[in-house]
Amino acid sequence: MKKLKITIDGKTIEVPENTTVLDAAKMADIAIPTLCHHPKLTPFGGCRLCIVEIKGIPRPVTSCTTPVSEGMEVTTSNPQIEDLRKTVLELILSDHPNDCMVCEKAGDCTLQELAYFYGIRENRFAGERRIYEKKDGNPFIERDMEKCILCGRCVKVCDEVQGVGAIDFTYRGFKSKICPPYEKDLDCEFCGQCVAVCPTGALTGKQWTMKGRQMGVKEVDTVCSYCGTGCNITLHVKDNTVVRVTSKEDTWHEGWLCIKGRFGYTFINSPDRLKRPLIRTAPEGQSSPDPLSLFKEASWNEAFDLIASKLSGIKSKHGADAIGGLSSARCTNEENYIFQKFIRAAVGTNNVDHCARL
Amino acid sequence: MNKNITIQVCMGTGGIAAGGSEVLAAFESLMREKNIPAEFKKECSMHKVGCRGLCAKDVLVDIITDDRRTIYQYIKPEMVERIIDEHVVGGNPVSEWEVAEDYHKFHEKQVKVVLSDCGNIDPEDINAYIAVDGYKAVEKVFASMTPEEVIDIMKKSGLRGRGGAGFPTGVKWEACRKAEAGQKYIICNADEGDPGAFMDRAVIEGNPHAVIEGMVVGAYAIGASKGYVYIRAEYPLAVERLKKAIKDARERGFIGKNILGKGFDFDIKIKLGAGAFVCGEETALIASIEGQRGMPRAKPPFPVHRGLWGKPTVINNVETLANIPYIIKKGHEWFSSYGTEKSKGTKVFALTGKIKNSGLIEVPMGITLKEIIYDIGGGIENGKALKAVQTGGPSGGCITTDMLDITMDYESLARVGSIVGSGGMIVLDEDDCMVNVAKYFLQFTQSESCGKCVPCRIGTKRLLEIMDRITKGAGRQGDIELLEKLSSDIKAASLCGLGQTAPNPVLSTIKYFREEYDAHLQGKCPAKACREMLTYHIIEEFCKGCGACLRACPAGAITGEKKKPHKIAPEICIKCGACFDVCKFKAVGKE
């Protein structure tokens, strides 16, 4: 690939052709503030925080949308640029609820962090704020559009990554808003990718509410057990309870999750969760308002012995083809291989299938 | 006896609004039904024409006989019979209805290139266009010119984009020509949206074939096989005439497959805009054609390299394209003989506001503003004093009375902080409050901001809030400086032309009318236009106690006995001004 030589803040580096100025700066370990930019999504150029000066171009340009060219000389910070960034941030904050105290996102919010770094306490541009009634009947995603800064990341992740397109920009001017068609309740896959990429508290998980933010929350990296894909997830644990699930961007699946991985974690602490095998003790046909009373708790060895004896019994009485095996998509590839091997070689039948084929 | 009589009725949108359709219908039915000698019926042709410019005098009717053209103004259907009897049949023009000297003065200093056939030919008849050498430019380039030669002529002509930015057309075409791609596009930008601007509308309504011909020449030059006209759905007449023109041109082989048998394919589609001002910005326009929300994107890449569907695309404004057939036919030397050193040719302006002759004008670049206002426009209405001229619409600025000798060209206007823009020209008089004027434009740009970038979406809202409180008498010390600071930051940090120019009306009025801003901060609107800052009272010595104001007041704020001076209760008064308007004795004062 062709390499181009450019100078950023006096530092000369070589970067591949088609690199953006923002990415080039990153390679040179120079940080440029951004809000609307997301490395996995197409550049937007809406927040204007990543503006830089390029020699020969009369006006500041957004580094996230500008590709490098040979010999380019970039200044990422000077008093004029920082002054413009401060104005832009003040404008965003002038239309943003000042309620970090009670915001779910506090401590993990890009906007809050930038306001902190730019020391924005007073606001020269205080004025009308957009006020929206919080109403969205969906069970997973809390949408507080007053906190939305219209960075467009949610719109793009929904379209470019998930391929769903459940939301988009509507209205014009100050009233511009991101919402589902006709401002109806969100009705999508609820994968929550939009929640993952939102840089403010506009999109959060409904299940997270009041469960704990950053303080006292331990992060535990693990693998999602919902399917054989094996996405890396990070459990946010407070007082031995999972309060939130996220996924890191530097994982093999780039941090994208589905609805189950992101929101299906409440079973972990459910009192109904089965933690040990149960063996039915009640005779066939008997029922009870308390189903657990029909079973007795057993060890894994007891359970395996029972399964083995039942399978052997059926096989000797009716032949191996009286047995069939159905495996689960929640198992890994290797587990599924072992299962079919077990059914074919140990049981001796080809009656084996998988739920994902149904 | 008259022979070969042609009756032309102005039926642009202005003409139709003034009753042009009814006037033409009256001519048609009376000529058919009246007892008129048969030879007149046979020799007389009647048709509609597009905008003639002086909309203030509509309906305009031309009667052209072998030896002369008579122009009538303010024609209504009931006047038609007399014109037929006395003029068409009798041969004696109805002189009292003819246009007066001001009509001719309106046209004297104009030079019509783009509008030369507009208002003279029937826009719905391709034969009428062909009869005035229409499509000769297409024939010429196909018969004898290479695309490079066409581009060379455009560059030499000095034609610059008439949509506002003034980018040289030939240079744009050349860049697109050089871009390597299997598919290229040419788009006609007819998303004219500045308040008070109607140049492109009039051109398409009056001579749609010139635009089509310009597109064919452009397509040939850059190598495009497909074209779009992106036109506002709010222009139904223009859309209708354009549709017909495209259909007719296709039937005659000027567009479509194998044009004029030369093996070149090019066809045109119409795409209706849904009314978003920002879609006039070229990257937003492209997004809109692609079916996306009309939001601009950062440039580069420019559309000539990556445009519609990612392919090299030229976007030209209606007026730019309509110039092209005439440049090809008459040569670049002829075209560049008009204008200044860097701004060649003519420019169409929509002259509106407090001017006697409001309408559409075409003037050579380099004409002075004074000539436009006083010679063409006939001066200010009602004997009022000229205060300023606003050019360039919501992206432009004001020109003050001490700059009336300024020449109309891209460079001169930019020097004084305004722009040529698409050609809106609004004349303001002593009754106009400059703060209010700037607020009006800001209201427009704020509500038309696409919402993508922060400085434009929120910044213009904050500007508007400050302007709003100033015009309501609630301005604060430091507001003017805050306006200036925020304006310059919005200009520097916005993504597209809309945001980068939206503060211009504010900056320009602060620059030239700072004293009006200061007066507002001290609680006075010098033009007495800002309603919230006014108080109404009765001047007792003039009041006759007639009760007219009392009856007119919608708020019940006026009390008083008959024949005794009345009183206005300031706490009830809603400052509507109804009392001021009805009082015959000038007994209502406003301050």
Side-chain angles (χ1 to χ4, degrees), chain B residues 349-395:
Chain B
F349 287 99
L351 186 60
T352 56
K354 309 285 179 60
I355 186 99
K356 274 186 192 150
N357 300 332
S358 63
L360 199 69
I361 62 168
E362 183 173 358
V363 289
M365 291 274 192
I367 192 171
T368 67
L369 185 59
K370 194 186 254 167
E371 289 172 284
I372 291 181
I373 302 299
Y374 292 102
D375 297 341
I376 296 173
I380 311 304
E381 269 187 329
N382 304 324
K384 297 267 182 180
L386 173 70
K387 187 186 240 180
V389 179
Q390 212 279 350
T391 68
S395 313

Side-chain angles (χ1 to χ4, degrees), chain A residues 275-295:
Chain A
K275 292 178 180 164
R276 293 170 64 81
L278 296 176
I279 293 177
R280 187 177 172 107
T281 51
E284 216 179 318
Q286 188 184 323
S287 65
S288 163
D290 173 19
L292 284 178
S293 68
L294 306 173
F295 295 84

Side-chain angles (χ1 to χ4, degrees), chain A residues 133-184:
Chain A
E133 198 184 328
K134 250 191 254 176
K135 58 166 181 72
D136 198 319
N138 86 77
F140 299 107
I141 299 172
E142 185 72 51
R143 300 172 61 241
D144 185 349
M145 288 297 105
E146 290 178 23
K147 291 179 184 166
C148 174
I149 57 164
L150 285 105
C151 69
R153 284 194 195 185
C154 54
V155 174
K156 275 185 292 165
V157 81
C158 192
D159 178 30
E160 295 170 10
V161 175
Q162 206 64 16
V164 171
I167 44 174
D168 209 337
F169 286 82
T170 52
Y171 300 107
R172 277 178 242 164
F174 187 67
K175 292 184 191 132
S176 302
K177 184 183 183 185
I178 288 167
C179 61
Y182 309 107
E183 296 196 75
K184 288 183 177 165

Side-chain angles (χ1 to χ4, degrees), chain B residues 191 201 231-237 239 273-276:
Chain B
D191 193 51
R201 170 185 213 155
I231 182 167
R232 323 176 65 191
E234 296 96 321
Y235 283 180
L237 182 66
V239 173

Side-chain angles (χ1 to χ4, degrees), chain B residues 9 18 60 68 75 102 128 199 206 257-258 299 309 348 463 482 490:
Chain B
V9 180
L60 289 161
R68 70 174 283 210
I75 296 305
D102 57 349
M199 297 75 58
K257 290 250 176 261
N258 194 15
K299 294 185 277 190
W309 318 113
V348 182
L463 278 184
L482 191 59
I490 292 171

